[in-house]
Amino acid sequence: MDIHNLELAISCYAQGVYHEGSHNIQERIGIINVIRNRVRDGRWGNDVCSVVYASGQFIGVTDENHLPVNKRAYLETKLLVIDTIIHNKYANPVANALYFHDDSIPPKKSWFGKRKKTHIGRMVFY
């Protein structure tokens, strides 16, 4: 992967994670790994940006009404992506999970029974 594609992938990871609104580092690491798992799975696209911008996924990324981006928080998210994906500084806490949601939102019925649940902070991963 050349440097331009690497930078684009890191930015797409960061966009997906940042706009999910999680401030808990373990939740964010979980979301990073769901994105990585979806790339490997291939149903949402064959690269990070296709997965993050897939129809109906990571709604905050495509929602024009989202709050203005906090530059510092966004850059911290990019560093977390680099530490997780490039430097392997953090273990994958969600195994092969492909789905997640805030625990205040009921999961889609299609998720039931498909995967083991992992609860981290307010996020539930399947």
Side-chain angles (χ1 to χ4, degrees):
M1 178 180 288
D2 67 45
I3 190 70
H4 298 291
N5 287 331
L6 178 60
E7 286 182 21
L8 181 59
I10 290 167
S11 292
C12 287
Y13 269 114
Q15 287 287 326
V17 174
Y18 178 87
H19 287 292
E20 286 304 316
S22 172
H23 298 289
N24 176 311
I25 191 168
Q26 288 302 314
E27 291 172 354
R28 294 187 301 157
I29 292 168
I31 295 167
I32 291 167
N33 282 284
V34 165
I35 295 169
R36 181 173 14 194
N37 291 343
R38 286 184 177 194
V39 171
R40 289 178 183 150
D41 181 84
R43 283 183 271 174
W44 292 268
N46 58 359
D47 62 55
V48 177
C49 295
S50 337
V51 166
V52 170
Y53 287 93
S55 179
Q57 308 301 310
F58 302 93
I59 303 301
V61 172
T62 57
D63 180 6
E64 295 177 7
N65 297 318
H66 63 70
L67 296 172
V69 173
N70 175 309
K71 292 175 186 172
R72 179 183 175 116
Y74 178 70
L75 290 174
E76 288 172 352
T77 302
K78 284 181 90 169
L79 290 173
L80 181 63
V81 168
I82 291 167
D83 283 345
T84 304
I85 300 298
I86 307 297
H87 298 298
N88 296 310
K89 185 175 176 181
Y90 302 103
N92 177 351
V94 298
N96 61 351
L98 295 172
Y99 308 96
F100 67 93
H101 64 89
D102 184 287
D103 64 8
S104 67
I105 300 168
K108 293 182 179 182
K109 291 182 181 179
S110 62
W111 300 349
F112 291 123
K114 289 192 172 189
R115 304 200 172 269
K116 179 182 175 188
K117 279 198 275 187
T118 303
H119 207 135
I120 302 172
R122 300 258 349 219
M123 296 292 185
V124 182
F125 297 87
Y126 298 86

